[in-house]
Amino acid sequence: MRSAAKSSAAKPRRRATAPKPYHHGDLRRVLIDAALQLVGEGGAEAVSVREAARRAGVSPGAPFRHFPSRDALMQAVAEEAQRRFRAEIEAALAAAPGDPLGRFRCLGLAYLRWAMRNPTHFEIISSRRFFDHDRADAISRDNAELIELTERTLAEAFAAGQLRPADLKQVQIAGRALVYGFARMNIDGHFPRWGVAGPEAERTAEAILDLFIEGIASRP
Amino acid sequence: MRSAAKSSAAKPRRRATAPKPYHHGDLRRVLIDAALQLVGEGGAEAVSVREAARRAGVSPGAPFRHFPSRDALMQAVAEEAQRRFRAEIEAALAAAPGDPLGRFRCLGLAYLRWAMRNPTHFEIISSRRFFDHDRADAISRDNAELIELTERTLAEAFAAGQLRPADLKQVQIAGRALVYGFARMNIDGHFPRWGVAGPEAERTAEAILDLFIEGIASRP
DNA sequence: ACCTGAACACCGTTCAAGT
DNA sequence: ACCTGAACACCGTTCAAGT
């Protein structure tokens, strides 16, 4: 009930009172945060548009002003998660040693650690069923850069004579299958039947990564 | 379809006419078959109790006479799929060579092939979210036997001097992570972004398995 | 004993109507 | 411009009532 003139560069910043929640705020952002929280609490399946709306204090239909579908909301959540994932991997790489194979190991370790510690967020960026990855440019880009990074590191290791002769593309896919498989076994609850308890998992992750690297390394 | 009943089997008290559908038949079996078909068509998420009921020609509530919940139906489907999976692996092993490492390779190959050719059925037995694996005895048993089979084969390979010194438990987990990861990459739609086209996938599967085996094998 | 059909509490999504 | 609130078509699940 305010006739506050519509100045062209209007910034509906803040009111002294808060008569109605989120009529003014960034609902899009609030919905993404609520969904991120829901993913953390109960996994991707626990995300419902209605629950996100409830937590944001808006009506069931309101989110559809900002996201055309549940999938679009999930995609926004995945973009956020993917950003964090990539940031952590690049941070780990910045602190990595100079030799290429050692850096390859750091890449794998950072991948595994983030996946182990953020299983539900990892799942949402890894599983195809939550949104259409082909239409998620930011995620595809982040992903492609990670793949290229691994490719370069592996090529450098080979050039430095650290690898035994092999098809590098296959080494790369095998390495990815290994770490993805391990992360997925965690998400999918396989470790109890493998006798790997929670705290042990990260040490085991390191062990199987080293086993793989020994397998591809040139041996004296 | 299934016309001639097995004479040794029990009493199929059938009517000449079929006045009402499935009032007499084995609704439980029909529901499982419908669900298996739905899994094949659209993946596990495509299974709904109501749709299975629809295909069986019964009312929405009828399935709950036979399964206490959707999860229980999914578990029955998974039990069937797991049975087929295990049967194929054991068939492959029966035709395997005598040397342990060669048999280990056959195990891995059979695992990968079945997973590649039955992705949606593989997912349902691999992912925890469809039912409670702790309460699915048949599945846990089948699974444990597969694990033990791999364990024995690996131990034999080691005893035969085919492996380089390593923690066999870790070799086994790494091997599983590799094949599970590869199968999952297929299910989760990762291969397009890895430049692996459909028909190529099985050849790549074989290649990365051989790469892994070369890595763990003792070398002259 | 098994099934029906109407309920109930949830979804995702749409849309006229409000501010 | 953004949100409400009632709709609609789906779920899973329950339960009295029918055969």
Side-chain angles (χ1 to χ4, degrees), chain B residues 85-121:
Chain B
F85 181 43
R86 189 181 154 197
E88 189 150 312
I89 286 199
E90 288 178 345
L93 206 60
D99 82 289
L101 197 50
R103 286 171 55 228
F104 179 75
R105 182 177 184 277
C106 275
L107 275 176
L109 222 49
Y111 184 104
L112 284 167
R113 280 173 48 127
W114 197 85
M116 304 299 282
R117 295 182 183 182
N118 306 276
T120 54
H121 291 91

Side-chain angles (χ1 to χ4, degrees), chain A residues 21-146:
Chain A
Y22 298 122
H23 263 244
H24 55 300
D26 188 353
L27 180 55
R28 186 188 149 86
R29 184 68 243 167
V30 174
L31 288 167
I32 293 175
D33 287 339
L36 275 163
Q37 207 179 316
L38 284 165
V39 170
E41 287 168 21
E45 352 269 340
V47 178
S48 83
V49 176
R50 292 182 99 109
E51 179 60 23
R54 235 171 266 129
R55 296 198 175 192
V58 294
S59 74
F64 292 89
R65 287 281 137 189
H66 301 272
F67 302 98
S69 68
R70 179 185 188 271
D71 278 16
L73 173 59
M74 294 305 259
Q75 182 176 323
V77 170
E79 275 162 4
E80 177 77 35
Q82 176 80 289
R83 217 181 341 263
R84 295 180 192 175
F85 181 43
R86 190 183 155 196
E88 188 150 312
I89 287 200
E90 288 178 345
L93 206 60
D99 83 288
L101 197 50
R103 287 172 55 226
F104 179 74
R105 183 178 184 276
C106 275
L107 275 177
L109 221 49
Y111 183 105
L112 283 166
R113 280 172 49 127
W114 197 85
M116 304 299 283
R117 296 182 183 181
N118 306 276
T120 53
H121 291 91
F122 182 80
E123 188 184 15
I124 219 184
I125 63 181
S126 304
S127 207
R128 94 160 117 196
R129 73 179 175 289
F130 301 115
F131 58 92
D132 184 354
H133 282 252
D134 291 338
R135 267 140 205 75
D137 287 350
I139 292 179
S140 294
R141 214 181 321 112
D142 278 6
N143 213 298
E145 283 189 35
L146 269 180

Side-chain angles (χ1 to χ4, degrees), chain B:
Chain B
M1 288 290 190
R2 33 148 154 179
S3 48
K6 304 217 167 190
S7 44
S8 65
K11 50 229 170 143
R13 41 172 185 200
R14 62 180 57 204
R15 293 211 127 92
T17 63
K20 289 184 183 175
Y22 299 120
H23 263 247
H24 54 299
D26 189 351
L27 180 55
R28 185 187 149 86
R29 185 66 244 168
V30 173
L31 287 167
I32 293 175
D33 287 340
L36 275 164
Q37 207 179 314
L38 284 166
V39 170
E41 288 169 18
E45 352 269 340
V47 178
S48 82
V49 177
R50 294 182 98 109
E51 179 61 25
R54 235 171 267 130
R55 295 199 175 192
V58 294
S59 73
F64 291 91
R65 287 282 138 188
H66 301 271
F67 302 98
S69 67
R70 179 184 188 271
D71 277 17
L73 173 58
M74 294 305 259
Q75 181 175 323
V77 170
E79 275 162 4
E80 176 76 34
Q82 176 80 289
R83 219 183 338 267
R84 295 179 191 174
F85 181 43
R86 189 181 154 197
E88 189 150 312
I89 286 199
E90 288 178 345
L93 206 60
D99 82 289
L101 197 50
R103 286 171 55 228
F104 179 75
R105 182 177 184 277
C106 275
L107 275 176
L109 222 49
Y111 184 104
L112 284 167
R113 280 173 48 127
W114 197 85
M116 304 299 282
R117 295 182 183 182
N118 306 276
T120 54
H121 291 91
F122 181 80
E123 187 184 15
I124 218 184
I125 62 181
S126 304
S127 207
R128 93 159 117 197
R129 75 178 174 289
F130 301 115
F131 58 93
D132 184 353
H133 282 252
D134 291 338
R135 266 139 207 77
D137 286 351
I139 292 179
S140 294
R141 214 181 322 110
D142 277 6
N143 213 298
E145 283 189 36
L146 268 181
I147 292 178
E148 279 164 32
L149 195 60
T150 317
E151 200 169 9
R152 280 201 305 273
T153 309
L154 218 42
E156 286 170 31
F158 184 75
Q162 294 186 289
L163 300 185
R164 68 179 169 84
D167 181 331
L168 287 192
K169 188 81 192 165
Q170 280 172 10
V171 173
Q172 195 184 187
I173 294 181
R176 168 66 82 126
L178 184 83
V179 294
Y180 185 56
F182 195 84
R184 264 277 171 209
M185 285 175 78
N186 181 45
I187 293 171
D188 296 336
H190 292 196
F191 284 152
R193 49 185 201 254
W194 284 87
V196 178
E200 234 179 309
E202 277 194 41
R203 286 207 319 276
T204 307
E206 195 169 340
I208 60 128
L209 180 61
D210 283 333
L211 189 120
F212 178 77
I213 288 176
E214 278 174 46
I216 61 171
S218 58
R219 289 206 271 163

